[in-house]
Amino acid sequence: MILDTTHLNRERIFFEPDETIWLFGYGSLIWKAEFDYHERRPAHIVGWTRRFWQGSHDHRGTPEAPGRVVTLVESPGTVCQGMAYRIDAETLAQLDIREKNGYLRELAVLHFPDGSHAEGLIYLATEDNAAFLGDAPLEEMARQIATAHGPSGPNCDYLLNLAIALEDLGADDPHVFALAARVRHCCAE
C-alpha cells in the first residue's frame, strides 16, 4: 500500500521559505543525492538507530512485493552517522515526492565532526504509517531485500550501496552490515 505523505509534509513547515536549511540523510540520501545543495558534510544525530523496517512499495519494491528501506527508531544514547546537506527550502518539494511513502519531515539536531551542531530536518517513517513493516528475523529481511525490485532498481542495490557509503564514512552499523553480508550470501546461492 502506498501512503502518499507529500501533502502532509508541505504543511510541516519548520523554517522560513527563504532560508537555507540542513537536511540529514541516513539512507539513500547518503549516496544518492539527486538534488541541488550548497554544502555536504558528514554528520550524526543522537538517540536514533537506523533499521530496515520501512516498506518500499514505490522505489525498491512494488505493492505486491515491497522492498525494505531504512527508517530511524528511537534508541537513547545511540549515534546514527550520515550525511548533512545545506539546501534551499524549495528543494524540499522534490524531496517530499522522493520520500512520500510514509516519511514525514521532523526536526533533529545535527552534529558535525568539528564539534558544531545545527537544527535540521530528517524524513522519518514511524510505525503508524501504512508502509511500516517493522522488525523481522535477519534471514527473512535479507530474503525480502534480495528478491525485491521496483522502479528505482533492485532492493539489494539500495542496501549494498548504503553499506559501502557507511563504510566510507567510518560508521559502525551492525544492523546494516549484517544484512549486507546476508544479502551477499543469498545472492551467491
Side-chain angles (χ1 to χ4, degrees):
M1 167 188 287
I2 296 175
L3 167 68
D4 190 340
T5 56
T6 305
H7 66 285
L8 294 173
N9 278 320
R10 303 256 163 92
E11 296 171 0
R12 300 174 71 80
I13 301 172
F14 303 112
F15 47 83
E16 296 298 321
D18 58 346
E19 280 185 278
T20 60
I21 55 176
W22 283 103
L23 171 71
F24 180 72
Y26 57 90
S28 62
L29 289 177
I30 296 175
W31 56 271
K32 192 176 182 183
E34 298 174 320
F35 53 87
D36 293 331
Y37 54 87
H38 298 282
E39 185 178 356
R40 177 180 190 258
R41 297 173 65 186
H44 70 270
I45 57 175
V46 177
W48 298 93
T49 191
R50 186 180 1 251
R51 291 289 182 260
F52 271 86
W53 290 3
Q54 178 68 2
S56 179
H57 304 82
D58 60 338
H59 285 291
R60 297 295 177 163
T62 63
E64 300 78 29
R68 281 185 175 263
V69 291
V70 291
T71 187
L72 296 171
V73 177
E74 285 188 81
S75 180
T78 303
V79 171
C80 178
Q81 293 178 290
M83 193 62 66
Y85 300 89
R86 193 169 54 83
I87 60 173
D88 292 323
E90 65 190 29
T91 303
L92 290 174
Q94 174 186 350
L95 290 164
D96 289 343
I97 293 169
R98 176 178 172 157
E99 305 296 332
K100 70 182 179 186
N101 195 34
Y103 290 86
L104 292 175
R105 296 180 195 168
E106 297 290 346
L107 291 174
V109 176
L110 284 56
H111 301 269
F112 300 104
D114 66 4
S116 65
H117 63 276
E119 190 170 55
L121 291 177
I122 58 172
Y123 280 90
L124 178 65
T126 62
E127 63 187 33
D128 60 357
N129 82 81
F132 191 79
L133 298 175
D135 196 6
L138 185 70
E139 293 295 320
E140 183 181 317
M141 285 192 286
R143 274 193 303 277
Q144 185 175 0
I145 291 168
T147 59
H149 190 284
S152 295
N155 197 182
C156 61
D157 286 357
Y158 174 101
L159 166 61
L160 298 176
N161 283 323
L162 177 57
I164 290 166
L166 291 172
E167 288 170 357
D168 290 347
L169 283 173
D172 179 25
D173 197 312
H175 175 76
V176 172
F177 296 153
L179 267 174
R182 187 61 203 133
V183 166
R184 286 183 191 106
H185 179 74
C186 287
C187 292
E189 292 177 344

